[in-house]
Amino acid sequence: MKKYAKKPVNKLTQSRFCLMPLLMLPLLVLPLAGLLAACSPESPASNEEREKTLKLLYWQAPTILNPHLSNGFKDSEASRITLEPLASYDKNGEMVPFLAAEVPTLENGLVAADGKSVIWNLEQGIEWSDGKPFTAADVVFTYEFLVNPEVASNTAAVYESIENVEAIDDYTVKVNFKEPNPAWSLPFVGIEGMILPRHLYKEYNGANVREAPYNLMPVGTGPYKVVEFKPGDTVVYEPNPFFRESDRMGFEKIILKGGGDSASAARAVLQTGDADYAYNLQVEPQVLQQFEAAGKGKVVAIFSSQAERILINQTDPNRMTADGERSSLQFPHPFFTDKKVRQGFNLAIDREAIATQLYGSTGKATTNYLVSPESYNSKNTKYEFNLEKAASLLDEAGWKDSNGNGIRDKDGVEMKVVFQTSINPVRQKTQQIIKQSLKSIGIEVELKSIDASTYFSGDPANPDTVARFESDLQMFTTGNQAPIPDNYMKGYLCDDIPQKSNNWSKQNYARYCNPAYEALWEKAEKELDPEKRRELFIQMNDLLVNEVVVMPIVHRAEAIAISNSLAGLDLTPWDRNTWNIADWKRIER
């Protein structure tokens, strides 16, 4: 990171990070068909243009460019090219400033000794990409916008600990907390801290937020600005002429192309050289090895906090309220409220087979929900694949095949589940492995695959999103977005359950509610001793795992493909890969 994100200070924790070539085995995949037809050089002029154009492939296509209104990493990754937080975390867990002039610490007096406030001094002279000045008013407005229940932002939980945010002057912001807050560094920092322009969004600070044109054509303070966006297809960026170090940028244009599939995106970078970067390669190791052998690019992977997991719906997705809501708290799930049933399902997951066969060096079998930083990765939990024991537990719970049709039943209800995830070869094969195990113990499983642009969207009207969760089981990956996991673990609080009444904007998709978990959370939020806080978070993880509220499968590395001609990427577990895109450059091949 150069001047616009200054030298890292205030080391918070040591993250687990690695960049590594991947080990792979062989598999046939379909070729990339017309995804980037314009990539093939046709003349010296087009070659010159190609050198000045950065081409990014996202098989999970962005659908909105306001990260506070989306559940998808692909949307925040695309937004991060143009929007910025006050600060973020590098790969070592050290905070670096973006819009802030410096990082607050106890030593410099900007973090209050009682933990009840923090002062942010802002960098002066920064302008939005429309030329308007960035000031403290934008930070205050972003807070007011994100906590407005009519906006129903997906990042509101990060800001609920705040009493108020005040602009002391144009370049000084004071954040006052309701209670002493050891997690003072979460608001306005990293992925969930991107600042929005007050002068544009102030007319959309309410139920009309989805109508804001800036959700699709954002105005930001970052190095590039959006000049064209076709949701679910293409985003085109050009240099932001008002960026504070505009002479540093390496490209005259960025084309982010969405759609297709993960293997084709990898092939376009590694084998054909038609693109520079491919995002989130959920591709089997053997496929990537075959592509990487062409010598056009390399695969790098970062082990961060991401755990591929299966969520168990605590509510009944098949019953509907009078106003049309499914997975409602009015109707508990017919069998997943029984711990023995959940334990039976958990014992039927062959984590080692999934990790070894489908992830290779980019995945490690896990039973933990909280896996990073390493000091938070509980040593108290364990997993087991045991179909005989699984069947025995289901028998004990009273679920037996009483009519001889091969499916367990109880009180006239058959044990049938719908298991959903996003469309991706690795995820579909994971589904198949789990389905076969469950079928062998008398459970009927219907597999459902949803396009990622829909599945991870924040569209409250779409029943196929992760927040709506209108199925029995669903699988995806998330993790804590900072070295301190407060907001991540908040996702199992009772008040965080998405419902029609909150526009499905909350994060507790499983609809789980447990006073014991709430008590641990409340203690952690007031505990200023870092070691005691760490122990409380591990206890929260252990409760979720032992109660089988969630079934973690694989601690995943995020794999990407980059061209041999691309330099400057500085990956971090705590921000999107595009966080330092101002430093990306073309080098001679």
Side-chain angles (χ1 to χ4, degrees):
M1 306 293 292
K2 302 291 179 69
K3 182 179 177 183
Y4 83 101
K6 302 177 186 63
K7 182 179 179 181
V9 294
N10 187 29
K11 185 169 185 177
L12 300 177
T13 185
Q14 183 68 35
S15 67
R16 185 172 189 166
F17 177 85
C18 66
L19 287 177
M20 57 187 179
L22 299 177
L23 304 175
M24 322 285 163
L25 313 167
L27 185 68
L28 178 66
V29 296
L30 296 175
L32 183 70
L35 187 59
L36 283 175
C39 290
S40 299
E42 297 176 355
S43 67
S46 64
N47 274 330
E48 183 178 351
E49 182 180 354
R50 170 75 178 89
E51 293 298 309
K52 296 178 180 178
T53 301
L54 176 66
K55 296 194 173 181
L56 315 176
L57 290 182
Y58 286 65
W59 60 274
Q60 294 180 333
T63 54
I64 189 170
L65 298 180
N66 182 339
H68 302 294
L69 300 179
S70 171
N71 291 314
F73 287 178
K74 40 89 175 176
D75 296 320
S76 56
E77 175 110 345
S79 302
R80 193 66 177 84
I81 296 173
T82 189
L83 296 174
E84 297 178 298
L86 297 188
S88 194
Y89 295 98
D90 70 6
K91 59 181 173 285
N92 298 313
E94 296 177 345
M95 196 182 290
V96 293
F98 277 78
L99 296 173
E102 59 186 324
V103 170
T105 64
L106 282 167
E107 291 73 21
N108 63 21
L110 297 179
V111 177
D114 64 3
K116 291 198 69 175
S117 66
V118 58
I119 292 174
W120 289 93
N121 294 321
L122 307 181
E123 191 73 59
Q124 299 188 27
I126 292 177
E127 295 175 294
W128 295 98
S129 57
D130 63 359
K132 302 294 184 183
F134 162 74
T135 69
D138 296 302
V139 181
V140 174
F141 171 78
T142 297
Y143 162 72
E144 294 170 346
F145 177 88
L146 296 181
V147 298
N148 184 344
E150 291 189 337
V151 169
S153 76
N154 294 312
T155 52
V158 177
Y159 300 84
E160 289 176 355
S161 61
I162 295 175
E163 180 67 35
N164 59 59
V165 178
E166 54 182 317
I168 295 175
D169 57 42
D170 280 352
Y171 298 103
T172 310
V173 173
K174 185 178 184 183
V175 181
N176 297 299
F177 298 102
K178 298 171 184 175
E179 303 284 347
N181 187 7
W184 63 265
S185 60
L186 288 182
F188 308 116
V189 173
I191 300 160
E192 296 161 323
M194 289 185 249
I195 308 298
L196 300 175
R198 177 186 179 277
H199 65 285
L200 298 178
Y201 269 100
K202 63 182 178 181
E203 302 301 325
Y204 298 94
N205 186 14
N208 65 340
V209 62
R210 298 274 169 179
E211 301 169 13
Y214 316 105
N215 295 333
L216 302 181
M217 295 294 289
V219 170
T221 54
Y224 295 90
K225 65 176 184 178
V226 176
V227 295
E228 180 183 346
F229 180 34
K230 297 176 182 177
D233 186 0
T234 307
V235 192
V236 180
Y237 306 82
E238 292 179 357
N240 172 8
F242 298 99
F243 184 58
R244 49 201 176 274
E245 294 182 84
S246 58
D247 58 334
R248 284 186 40 240
M249 289 179 285
F251 300 94
E252 294 182 0
K253 181 182 288 188
I254 299 174
I255 299 175
L256 187 158
K257 178 66 177 174
D261 61 81
S262 187
S264 295
R267 179 177 182 269
V269 175
L270 301 173
Q271 190 175 70
T272 67
D274 288 334
D276 301 300
Y277 168 97
Y279 166 75
N280 190 17
L281 300 181
Q282 292 182 39
V283 181
E284 290 156 296
Q286 55 265 38
V287 178
L288 294 179
Q289 182 186 41
Q290 176 186 346
F291 292 158
E292 203 170 19
K296 296 291 183 69
K298 59 183 176 291
V299 176
V300 294
I302 176 172
F303 269 101
S304 58
S305 60
Q306 296 187 17
E308 184 87 351
R309 83 289 306 270
I310 296 174
L311 269 63
I312 300 174
N313 200 339
Q314 300 294 308
T315 59
D316 191 343
N318 299 311
R319 296 187 66 182
M320 186 185 297
T321 64
D323 61 352
E325 181 178 359
R326 295 184 185 274
S327 293
S328 165
L329 295 176
Q330 291 184 33
F331 305 120
H333 197 279
F335 46 83
F336 279 144
T337 51
D338 187 331
K339 180 179 176 179
K340 283 187 176 180
V341 171
R342 299 195 301 270
Q343 288 174 323
F345 272 70
N346 197 39
L347 285 163
I349 298 176
D350 191 346
R351 291 168 172 83
E352 288 294 345
I354 292 167
T356 303
Q357 296 173 23
L358 302 181
Y359 287 88
S361 62
T362 65
K364 296 174 284 190
T366 187
T367 194
N368 282 329
Y369 176 73
L370 177 59
V371 296
S372 187
E374 177 59 28
S375 60
Y376 288 86
N377 198 346
S378 176
K379 305 299 188 293
N380 309 322
T381 60
K382 62 181 181 179
Y383 56 84
E384 181 182 3
F385 175 55
N386 190 324
L387 293 176
E388 183 177 343
K389 188 185 292 188
S392 178
L393 282 169
L394 296 177
D395 287 343
E396 290 177 25
W399 290 89
K400 301 179 181 180
D401 180 11
S402 65
N403 57 13
N405 69 349
I407 303 171
R408 293 175 182 270
D409 59 86
K410 181 181 178 181
D411 299 330
V413 177
E414 293 202 317
M415 190 167 269
K416 298 180 179 180
V417 296
V418 175
F419 177 16
Q420 71 180 26
T421 190
S422 63
I423 296 173
N424 172 272
V426 170
R427 285 192 168 140
Q428 268 67 77
K429 290 184 180 182
T430 301
Q431 282 183 308
Q432 289 289 349
I433 291 172
I434 294 170
K435 177 179 179 176
Q436 289 304 312
S437 293
L438 293 175
K439 182 180 178 181
S440 72
I441 57 172
I443 301 165
E444 182 173 306
V445 181
E446 176 188 338
L447 301 182
K448 182 177 180 181
S449 302
I450 304 167
D451 185 85
S453 61
T454 298
Y455 191 49
F456 297 115
S457 80
D459 182 0
N462 197 313
D464 286 333
T465 64
V466 292
R468 292 284 291 266
F469 196 3
E470 295 187 5
S471 67
D472 303 280
L473 302 169
Q474 70 176 357
M475 181 172 64
F476 58 88
T477 292
T478 59
N480 38 306
Q481 307 297 311
I484 49 177
D486 298 59
N487 190 50
Y488 181 56
M489 303 305 285
K490 189 177 188 296
Y492 278 95
L493 298 184
C494 303
D495 288 342
D496 236 40
I497 293 173
Q499 305 168 70
K500 189 173 185 178
S501 60
N502 57 40
N503 224 16
W504 292 283
S505 62
K506 303 288 188 175
Q507 303 297 311
N508 185 354
Y509 307 139
R511 279 76 167 160
Y512 174 73
C513 183
N514 184 342
Y517 188 88
E518 303 266 324
L520 288 169
W521 163 261
E522 289 172 6
K523 285 184 68 175
E525 287 308 282
K526 297 175 182 177
E527 180 56 67
L528 298 179
D529 183 284
E531 178 57 24
K532 291 180 180 178
R533 268 173 53 80
R534 185 186 71 84
E535 291 172 359
L536 287 165
F537 282 123
I538 288 176
Q539 289 179 51
M540 280 185 263
N541 172 84
D542 294 351
L543 188 153
L544 294 176
V545 170
N546 294 329
E547 289 294 309
V548 199
V549 179
V550 59
M551 299 186 291
I553 305 172
V554 175
H555 178 192
R556 261 186 52 195
E558 182 179 349
I560 62 170
I562 60 172
S563 165
N564 289 335
S565 69
L566 185 61
L569 281 77
D570 184 18
L571 304 183
T572 172
W574 313 118
D575 206 332
R576 299 275 73 89
N577 295 336
T578 51
W579 80 310
N580 77 321
I581 200 165
D583 295 323
W584 294 16
K585 299 287 189 300
R586 180 83 64 203
I587 58 174
E588 289 188 15
R589 286 177 272 189

